[in-house]
Amino acid sequence: MNLETVVREDERLLQTLQTLPANADAFIRPVVAKVKLLWDCNLSCRFCRLPSDQSMMSLATVRLLLDQLHAAGCIKVHFTGGEIFLHPSIRDILYHAAGLGMQINMTTNGTLVDKQIARYLAETGVHSVTISLDSSDPSLHDRLRGVKGAFKRSTKALKLLSRHRLRLQVNTVVLRENASTLDALHDFLKRTDPAIRWNL
C-alpha cells in the first residue's frame, strides 16, 4: 500500500490535511509510547539477535523521558527490553510512571517474576503484562528460548500474575518447530486463565 496514493485518492482526508493550521504540531500528541529500557536478556532465543554493547537507560534518563511524555499528553507507556526485570531500577521506573498517572504495560519473558514482583506489579497498578511463551511442551519451549527451565518459570509467572488479577497477554513466536503445537498451547492458556489474550 502506498500511503501517498491513499491520501491523494481520499478527497476528504486530503482536504482535512490541507486545512490543518500552521501550528498543527501543537495539536499532535503522543498517546502511547514504547520504551525499550535495555537490550540485556537472560535467555538465548534461537530467533532473537540482540545487539551487543548496548547500555541500558539510566533511571534519571527514564524519569526525564516519562516526565516529557506526560507533559506532552502521553497517557500510556509500554516497557520492553531485552528483559525488563534485569534493569536494577525497574521498581523505581514503574513507581514513577504510576505516579504520573500513566497506564503501564510491559513485556517480559516471565522467568524472573516471583511472588514479590507479582505483588508489586499489582500494588503499583500495572495495567497489563505480556509474557513470551512458545509452546505448552516444556522441552520445546526451553529449546526455542535457549535455557532449560524457562517454561517452568514463565508459566509460574503467568499463574502468579493471574492470581493478582493483572491483565495478561501471551506472545508466541510461530516457527516450523512449534506450529503443530499451537492448539495445545491455546488449550493450556485457556486452562491457566481464560482471560489471557494470545498474540501470534
Side-chain angles (χ1 to χ4, degrees):
M1 175 193 313
N2 184 312
L3 185 58
E4 185 179 350
T5 302
V6 171
V7 171
R8 289 189 183 282
E9 290 177 354
D10 187 330
E11 289 182 28
R12 286 178 56 206
L13 178 57
L14 186 59
Q15 193 174 30
T16 300
L17 292 173
Q18 289 172 337
T19 58
L20 285 174
N23 63 341
D25 287 350
F27 299 96
I28 300 172
R29 296 177 169 190
V31 178
V32 180
K34 191 169 190 177
V35 179
K36 186 173 281 290
L37 296 172
L38 72 171
W39 289 97
D40 300 340
C41 190
N42 59 329
L43 299 184
S44 185
C45 303
R46 290 177 48 181
F47 43 80
C48 186
R49 299 289 178 266
L50 294 174
S52 58
D53 301 325
Q54 295 288 329
S55 59
M56 67 179 64
M57 292 178 74
S58 69
L59 175 59
T61 299
V62 180
R63 281 179 172 162
L64 178 61
L65 176 62
L66 291 173
D67 289 344
Q68 291 172 340
L69 287 168
H70 180 257
C74 184
I75 59 172
K76 175 180 173 181
V77 63
H78 187 110
F79 294 112
T80 184
E83 173 47 52
I84 63 169
F85 288 109
L86 288 175
H87 198 294
S89 301
I90 188 61
R91 290 184 184 217
D92 294 324
I93 290 169
L94 298 177
Y95 182 78
H96 191 78
L100 294 171
M102 301 177 93
Q103 178 182 309
I104 304 169
N105 303 73
M106 62 181 63
T107 297
T108 171
N109 61 44
T111 59
L112 301 177
V113 175
D114 57 18
K115 289 179 182 177
Q116 282 185 325
I117 290 174
R119 188 180 320 111
Y120 182 79
L121 297 182
E123 290 172 354
T124 307
V126 168
H127 182 260
S128 73
V129 180
T130 301
I131 291 183
S132 305
L133 194 67
D134 298 320
S135 177
S136 59
D137 175 347
S139 62
L140 176 55
H141 175 81
D142 290 357
R143 193 161 66 248
L144 294 174
R145 292 286 164 173
V147 173
K148 189 172 183 179
F151 176 85
K152 183 177 181 180
R153 295 196 300 273
S154 295
T155 54
K156 181 180 178 183
L158 274 175
K159 291 170 185 172
L160 285 171
L161 296 168
S162 178
R163 280 189 215 131
H164 284 282
R165 303 187 186 282
L166 283 152
R167 292 184 185 191
L168 295 174
Q169 299 185 77
V170 165
N171 282 347
T172 299
V173 178
V174 180
L175 305 161
R176 287 191 194 97
E177 294 93 328
N178 68 347
S180 64
T181 70
L182 294 179
D183 286 340
L185 177 55
H186 176 264
D187 293 342
F188 173 82
L189 295 176
K190 287 299 177 190
R191 288 194 305 272
T192 302
D193 182 343
I196 290 175
R197 181 178 169 188
W198 191 29
N199 303 315
L200 298 176

